[in-house]
Amino acid sequence: MTDDRKAIVPVWTLATGDVRVPAVAGDEPMTAERLAELRGVLAGLAAEPIATLELHPLPSKLDRSRGIPLDAASPLAQHLSQLITQSARSSSVAATATAAGDGLYRMVVPAKVAAQFGQGIVRPMAAKAVAGGIRSPLVNSTGGIVAGATFVPVGKAAAAGAVGGAGATAGVAVAGSAALTVAAPLVLMAVAVGVSANADHKRQQAIEHITELLEQLHEQKLDDEHSELDGCRDAIDKATAILLDQGKLGVSLGLDSAVHAINTALGAADRRLARWRSALDKLPDGKAVEIATLTKSFPGVDDHGGTFRAHLELAGLAIALKRRVIVLQAVEHAQTDTANLFKNFSRALKTDHQRLDELESGIARVLERLSALELARPQGLRPVFTNSEVDRLMRAANLIHKLGDDVVVNSRTTDVAIEIARNTDGSVVVFPALAA
């Protein structure tokens, strides 16, 4: 979130259940560092998940195409509007900050809670330009997220109550505790849309890569596999829109057939992964490998476009689509029991994501092993090689070693941030969830 001015930023602490914790927040202004510490303390002390919600000025330049738009009548927008209205009555800071009607709301879910969603949903995106940096769609050129801002806790605001039957667990935390607003529906919907947008962003990236690869390969079988997976998008988009508006999913959407196609693709990815592991296990330990030997099991690994790389992208597309479907299933499951809203949601996500995490980690380890291989020069009768042969060997070695550049294996779970742009008419755009 970009905010270079010395701004006063209101911050709400949102609980997903009726909890009692020591009044560690207080009413005094705090820095971004102090706010991060507070999140960790609340996550450790509270029996229910607790998130923080910050309100920043809406940036003048914002790429809304990356997010999922929801109109003012959607449950998420209504929960947010109700929180704004009722908190403005009891807090002059909140009233001043929300007077314009628009703004960029940034919900941060602590790492302890984010771990419940599955390890693979949100990972830090390494910034190439800055060592150890993390990319975000809303950071400024220096990488600052809330530079110069002072955070002011919003007092005992009334809760974002039940809208459309979504939240039986709404109210203010018990007397004597910290000023926590119980807003399980708001947190649930923000996390659900943010994670869904994150998965869809990965799908879009995979589609771009696959399209380019298949144009070079001209392989009908892979093209058909790609078309079948991409054809699932329409059913998933419709199901997302219906669930986020708290409708009921029906068979006419075609979601069942879409899930079947995705599961088929995941099964193919599992089989390919097993073959890749087996091929690597058969290579001699500590010895250089010829390119010809490697390309038998990994066709096209020595080139920018090849069957192996297409298989990688197809697996990534299937994983991204499945993650989005899992979010839909988790939301539907949670909404059937509003008295246990957030726990149902996080339980469904964690259980179903385990297989995807294992598949993704398995592929990552294959890429790591490939990138660490030493390539041998081709065996032949000639003692001297041509310039073209030397160039090919060097180019192949460079491409294969780069396979491990973007690999993340067993990444440490970080705080998850969901950024929501709110317009003056109450409609919102939810951006892909990212590592905070």
Side-chain angles (χ1 to χ4, degrees):
M1 211 302 304
T2 305
D3 186 2
D4 291 325
R5 294 168 294 179
K6 298 292 183 180
I8 299 297
V9 176
V11 56
W12 293 261
T13 46
L14 305 179
T16 57
D18 192 6
V19 295
R20 180 189 295 272
V21 295
V24 294
D27 298 319
E28 296 299 319
M30 56 184 145
T31 63
E33 291 77 13
R34 171 60 179 156
L35 178 59
E37 293 174 358
L38 172 64
R39 275 196 296 266
V41 171
L42 290 175
L45 295 178
E48 301 286 345
I50 294 177
T52 57
L53 181 69
E54 310 157 14
L55 170 55
H56 301 267
L58 196 62
S60 56
K61 294 181 179 180
L62 193 60
D63 182 10
R64 296 169 184 263
S65 65
R66 301 182 69 258
I68 293 179
L70 299 171
D71 62 34
S74 65
L76 172 58
Q78 289 193 42
H79 292 315
L80 185 57
S81 293
Q82 190 167 350
L83 175 70
I84 292 167
T85 300
Q86 297 192 15
S87 60
R89 295 172 185 169
S90 58
S91 169
S92 59
V93 172
T96 301
T98 60
D102 60 1
L104 187 71
Y105 290 81
R106 192 170 194 262
M107 182 179 292
V108 180
V109 181
K112 176 184 175 181
V113 180
Q116 300 176 40
F117 307 152
Q119 299 293 322
I121 292 179
V122 176
R123 287 194 175 114
M125 297 182 291
K128 300 292 185 183
V130 182
I134 294 176
R135 287 185 291 144
S136 161
L138 302 175
V139 297
N140 59 22
S141 58
T142 63
I145 293 181
V146 287
T150 299
F151 296 88
V152 178
V154 175
K156 293 184 179 296
V163 178
T169 56
V172 178
V174 293
S177 68
L180 302 175
T181 300
V182 184
L186 176 59
V187 179
L188 165 69
M189 298 303 280
V191 171
V193 186
V195 170
S196 183
N198 180 278
D200 192 56
H201 179 59
K202 291 180 179 177
R203 179 198 64 79
Q204 293 174 20
Q205 291 179 318
I207 287 290
E208 292 172 3
H209 295 157
I210 293 170
T211 301
E212 183 179 346
L213 286 170
L214 294 184
E215 285 175 353
Q216 300 175 41
L217 287 172
H218 302 291
E219 288 196 20
Q220 187 62 43
K221 186 177 180 180
L222 289 179
D223 195 47
D224 290 343
E225 189 175 337
H226 169 227
S227 298
E228 190 169 5
L229 273 177
D230 198 31
C232 301
R233 183 184 62 177
D234 187 56
I236 293 175
D237 285 347
K238 284 187 175 68
T240 302
I242 289 173
L243 265 185
L244 295 182
D245 285 337
Q246 291 195 284
K248 296 294 183 182
L249 298 182
V251 295
S252 61
L253 287 175
L255 191 59
D256 288 346
S257 58
V259 171
H260 174 72
I262 295 168
N263 287 341
T264 300
L266 289 172
D270 277 325
R271 291 190 298 275
R272 287 164 182 159
L273 175 58
R275 289 199 299 268
W276 296 337
R277 282 171 167 165
S278 177
L280 286 170
D281 289 341
K282 291 177 181 177
L283 295 177
D285 292 335
K287 293 185 179 180
V289 182
E290 287 189 50
I291 295 177
T293 301
L294 203 57
T295 54
K296 286 179 182 178
S297 300
F298 304 92
V301 70
D302 60 334
D303 198 357
H304 284 292
T307 303
F308 172 66
R309 293 176 188 270
H311 285 163
L312 288 176
E313 296 296 343
L314 285 168
L317 175 57
I319 290 171
L321 289 169
K322 185 66 173 178
R323 288 201 189 282
R324 198 168 179 199
V325 168
I326 289 172
V327 173
L328 295 178
Q329 294 169 334
V331 172
E332 185 179 34
H333 183 56
Q335 288 183 345
T336 59
D337 183 6
T338 55
N340 191 20
L341 192 69
F342 200 82
K343 285 185 177 179
N344 279 344
F345 173 72
S346 58
R347 187 183 302 118
L349 275 179
K350 183 177 181 179
T351 301
D352 290 340
H353 272 288
Q354 287 178 347
R355 180 196 171 191
L356 297 182
D357 292 343
E358 291 171 2
L359 175 58
E360 215 166 30
S361 296
I363 293 174
R365 288 190 177 91
V366 164
L367 294 178
E368 275 193 328
R369 291 176 67 182
L370 280 171
S371 66
L373 290 176
E374 179 185 354
L375 293 184
R377 64 181 188 176
Q379 299 297 319
L381 298 176
R382 293 177 300 156
V384 179
F385 296 95
T386 64
N387 289 336
S388 61
E389 288 174 327
V390 174
D391 288 344
R392 188 200 171 197
L393 179 61
M394 293 180 64
R395 184 172 62 251
N398 184 49
L399 289 172
I400 292 171
H401 291 159
K402 282 185 176 180
L403 287 172
D405 285 354
D406 298 322
V407 167
V408 180
V409 179
N410 295 329
S411 62
R412 180 178 57 87
T413 304
T414 65
D415 292 357
V416 173
I418 299 100
E419 289 164 334
I420 306 169
R422 185 176 189 268
N423 304 311
T424 52
D425 63 358
S427 61
V428 297
V429 176
V430 185
F431 295 96
L434 49 87

